[in-house]
Every structure is written in C-alpha cells, then in structure tokens.
Amino acid sequence: MKAVTWQGRRDVRVEEVPDPRIEEPTDAVVRITSTGLCGSDLHLYEVLTAFMTPGDILGHEPMGIVEEVGAGVPDLSAGDRVVVPFQIACGGCWMCLNALPTQCETTQVTGEGMGAALFGYTRLYGAVPGGQAEYLRVPQAQFGPIKVPEGPPDDRFVYLSDVLPTAWQAVAYADVPPGGTLAVLGLGPIGDMACRIARVRGAERVFGVDLVPERLRRAKARGVETYDLRDYADEKELVAAIRDETDGRGPDAVVDAVGTEAHGSAAARLAQQAASLLPRKLGAPFAERFSVDRLAALYTAIDLVRRGGTLSLVGVYGGMADPLPMLTMFDKQLQIRMGQANVRRWSDEILPYLTDEDPLGVDDFATHRLPLDEAPRAYEMFQHKSDGAVKVLMTP
Ligand code: NAD
Ligand code: ZN
Ligand code: ZN
C-alpha cells in the first residue's frame, strides 16, 4: 500500500510499504477514506526529529471502512464506517474506566515513561504506524473506533479523531463560568474549533489571537473578537488591549492552542533548531534532558488570564527544562489543566452536534483536500500557512 513516511527534517515521502494485517485478536484493519494533517504532525516534521526514525508512517486523524476484524472485536464488522481516535486505549483498565484513555495502562509506553500509545507519533508514543496511508492496523479496536452513520460526507465526522475532542476538552478544561469570557491563543484548526465550541456552549465573549489574516477572518466571521498579534508592539500591549475589554481583569480562562512552535520566541527557536539538527544519537538524550519550548504563547496566557482564572493548555509542549514564571503563576493563583485529548471521553457528547444544521461548521472546515500522493506539498503548505491553508484533508 501507499503511506506517508517521515524521512528526515522537513522531508516526508509517499512510499510503497507492506499492507498491515491483523496481528492480535483485538486488531482491526481499516481502509482509510480521509485523513487529516495536524499541527502535531508539524512538530514531527521539524522539531521532534530526534524521536523519529526514517520510514515511520505518519498520521493520526483517519477515518474509513473496516476491512477486517480480529476475533476479540465483537462490535465491529467489515463494512462499518468508523473514525479512529488518535490515541490507542483499551477501554477496560483503571485509567480508561476513569475517563483518561490518554493514560491507558494497557498501551502506556512505559519504556519511555509516557502515556498511551498514539498513532504516527514518535518512539516516545510507541512508534505505531499512522493513518496517512491506504490502510491502518488499529490495535485495541474493541474500544477505539467510533462507528458513524452512512450518508454525510467524511468531512462531517473525520474531526472526531482529534480536532473536535481536542477543542472540546480545551473548552471543558477552561471551565468558563456562565456568562464568562475566554481568550483563545492560536486560531489554527484546534483554536478555531475551540472558539466555535465555546460559543455554542455559552461563553459570553470569546477573544481570539493569531497573526495569520485568513485565520483571524475565519474566526471573526463566527463571532470571535479577534486580535492580530502583528498590530501590537509587544505582548504587554496585546494583553492590555484584551484586559480593557474585561473590566481590567483579563478573561476568566485562556486556551493556549499554539504550543511549542510559538511565534516570537527567538532564543528557544534557535535551541530547537540546533537540537533537531544534531545526529539522532545525540539529539534524543539532549532533548530528553535539556529541551526547551518556544514559550511566547504560554507567557502571554499566564499574563493575560485574570487572577484566579484557568489556563487550558492544549497546544503540545515537550520541553524538559522550560523556565516558567512561578512567582506570577503562584501569586495570581492560576489553575492549569493540560494534556492530550481523551477522545472517547468526549465523543458521545460531540456526536449530537454533527448534524445537517452543522452548528460547528465541520462540513466546510477543511480549506484543502488533496490526494495522499501530494502529501509532501500538503505538509509544506500547512507549515508555511500558504495558499490559505488552515485544515488539510487527504484522500488515499
Ligand atoms: P497550527 O500550527 O495550525 O496552529 C497554531 C496557530 O498558532 C497558528 O495559526 C499560528 O499562526 C498561531 N500562533 C503562533 N504563535 C502564536 C502566538 N505567539 N500567539 C498567538 N498565536 C500564535 O496547528 P493546530 O492543528 O491548530 O494545532 C495547535 C496545537 O495543538 C499544536 O501544538 C498541536 O500539536 C496541538 N494539538 C494538541 C492536541 C491534544 O490532544 N492536546 C491535539 C491536536 C493538536
Ligand atoms: Zn491531530
Ligand atoms: Zn486502558
């Protein structure tokens, strides 16, 4: 089959690889019909190279048709239409039963000291072959795949794999009080969807920050009060402008949907580049001990949120030696919640929103749909945010 493989820094290629097959009774094999490209894939593309191996199959936002199931998967059969969550979880361990499938004790990557295995996401997360491919082997298929109805196009459901539960969890963790205010930093697919969900779920005002004009326009068209980072001399000015709109206090909660590749962190950018250019043998131990994130967005979030407010970090961070302003965080009495999204924790709550009325605007959420063969161009375009690319889906 054809699959998108990681080959090196900023180098992905579509290659012929062996077809996946059932290896465990709890496996399924799914023929992929749509597969998303995510901000998290961009981290692998350029920053987390120390944890990748040439030939790794990328992708964690797939849906398709079940081709074959093992004997331990009673609720799925060939022909079912399913969305595959980005994390692999068993559904029966203590963590899964406590609504934390990202920490599944059956699939935890204990050798690396990490949580549940993820599709297509570095050896830290199990180096499991991903879903930007014609076929995908789905381990723990007795729990993961979400059955969806026939009829509507894939666009209606594909975001259940990641974007929707991730944005949903970001908003749930932000815990905006009734009539309260929320700021969302970063208006990529995750931040954009978090704004939509916050509006649908009753946040009184949503402020959105980014520096890419079409991303700001998209959010504004849906009632978000947008702020273009480039209009402000520095972070302090931006924070002051939003504070002015919230009785001088700052919003009740801030979602950081930017993560480790934030614009405006020049020194950390250099450190990340240096680490990603080291030979892999040196790069990985270095990254495991000394890596730092580009923290511009997180610093803004800490400054911006009102005293006693909540930070919901959904953008991925990976630093092991990040300097944080603990004095401010402690003094402001912040609550901070973060992590990978627990997909099955939220998917049943989200499904009722995926209707013909389309309150979250999923049907035209993707800006680009390309054949899988054009994955190298898709990655480049999404990284450079060129050609108006916000969300890219690929068709195998
Ligand atoms: P993206 O890269 O398209 O979005 C990031 C956005 O942040 C961009 O629009 C960029 O212009 C903007 N930005 C950069 N620096 C900024 C700054 N200083 N202030 C404000 N905005 C800034 O990616 P995405 O797909 O929307 O993903 C966003 C983040 O969420 C990534 O870190 C991704 O890894 C993470 N993510 C997390 C989970 C999870 O389960 N927690 C799941 C999916 C994605
Ligand atoms: Zn993703
Ligand atoms: Zn489990």
Side-chain angles (χ1 to χ4, degrees):
M1 68 161 183
K2 276 193 252 175
V4 179
T5 61
W6 185 93
Q7 297 295 342
R9 188 167 176 267
R10 286 198 190 156
D11 182 4
V12 302
R13 293 179 216 162
V14 179
E15 294 204 320
E16 204 52 50
V17 301
D19 286 350
R21 45 184 188 78
I22 303 285
E23 293 173 21
E24 301 285 337
T26 48
D27 286 353
V29 171
V30 176
R31 178 172 58 81
I32 303 304
T33 52
S34 291
T35 190
L37 180 51
C38 177
S40 299
D41 295 320
L42 292 182
H43 305 324
L44 314 182
Y45 192 53
E46 173 140 23
V47 177
L48 296 177
T49 56
F51 302 111
M52 298 295 289
T53 308
D56 282 350
I57 300 176
L58 296 167
H60 59 266
E61 303 191 348
M63 72 174 288
I65 307 294
V66 175
E67 188 82 4
E68 203 185 339
V69 293
V73 187
D75 298 334
L76 282 187
S77 10
D80 285 347
R81 189 184 197 199
V82 292
V83 180
V84 182
F86 72 87
Q87 73 235 194
I88 302 167
C90 76
C93 72
W94 192 92
M95 287 293 173
C96 285
L97 293 174
N98 283 282
L100 286 165
T102 56
Q103 314 301 328
C104 172
E105 288 168 339
T106 305
T107 74
Q108 272 178 8
V109 186
T110 44
E112 302 282 352
M114 300 294 282
L118 309 180
F119 286 104
Y121 217 79
T122 79
R123 71 171 165 72
L124 293 178
Y125 286 107
V128 183
Q132 289 167 3
E134 288 180 304
Y135 294 90
L136 176 67
R137 173 183 162 239
V138 181
Q140 307 293 338
Q142 79 288 355
F143 177 65
I146 304 161
K147 267 200 246 186
V148 295
E150 299 296 332
D154 279 6
D155 299 58
R156 180 75 58 87
F157 302 114
V158 69
Y159 306 114
L160 280 170
S161 57
D162 183 341
V163 175
L164 285 166
T166 298
W168 195 275
Q169 178 168 299
V171 173
Y173 280 7
D175 203 15
V176 178
T181 52
L182 174 72
V184 176
L185 306 181
L187 298 171
I190 301 297
D192 183 343
M193 188 55 77
C195 292
R196 297 176 189 209
I197 290 169
R199 300 267 308 158
V200 166
R201 305 201 70 207
E204 184 67 25
R205 294 176 72 183
V206 179
F207 308 98
V209 182
D210 204 295
L211 58 154
V212 180
E214 58 275 10
R215 295 180 179 215
L216 289 157
R217 267 200 302 277
R218 247 163 84 109
K220 191 168 186 181
R222 289 189 153 258
V224 176
E225 300 172 45
T226 52
Y227 290 77
D228 187 338
L229 208 58
R230 297 167 310 167
D231 292 342
Y232 300 88
D234 57 22
E235 180 263 338
K236 288 254 166 292
E237 252 190 33
L238 167 78
V239 167
I242 299 177
R243 258 192 212 140
D244 280 350
E245 296 293 320
T246 50
D247 298 327
R249 292 195 189 94
D252 296 305
V254 178
V255 167
D256 173 352
V258 180
T260 183
E261 294 189 63
H263 176 85
S265 305
R269 182 181 166 79
L270 284 176
Q272 278 182 346
Q273 271 173 350
S276 76
L277 291 169
L278 286 174
R280 285 181 49 245
K281 271 207 177 92
L282 291 175
F286 179 85
E288 276 161 17
R289 293 181 57 193
F290 305 116
S291 56
V292 288
D293 291 297
R294 282 144 70 178
L295 291 169
L298 179 56
Y299 289 157
T300 302
I302 291 167
D303 198 9
L304 177 60
V305 69
R306 73 157 160 80
R307 289 178 172 273
T310 304
L311 294 185
S312 173
L313 310 185
V314 66
V316 166
Y317 286 98
M320 289 301 277
D322 286 333
L324 290 175
M326 290 304 293
L327 172 67
T328 308
M329 292 157 73
F330 187 85
D331 180 62
K332 284 184 78 170
Q333 200 147 353
L334 302 189
Q335 318 204 34
I336 308 185
R337 306 176 78 186
M338 65 184 96
Q340 305 279 6
N342 297 287
V343 176
R344 296 302 309 254
R345 162 77 180 83
W346 310 108
S347 52
D348 289 348
E349 282 176 44
I350 298 168
L351 266 168
Y353 290 84
L354 307 180
T355 57
D356 285 345
E357 288 70 43
D358 195 15
L360 299 174
V362 291
D363 285 355
D364 58 5
F365 191 68
T367 51
H368 292 72
R369 186 181 263 281
L370 299 173
L372 192 74
D373 282 329
E374 291 186 37
R377 181 163 83 85
Y379 271 76
E380 199 188 346
M381 179 173 73
F382 184 48
Q383 190 192 37
H384 291 132
K385 304 174 178 59
S386 54
D387 197 29
V390 182
K391 189 67 189 179
V392 184
L393 295 177
M394 294 184 284
T395 315

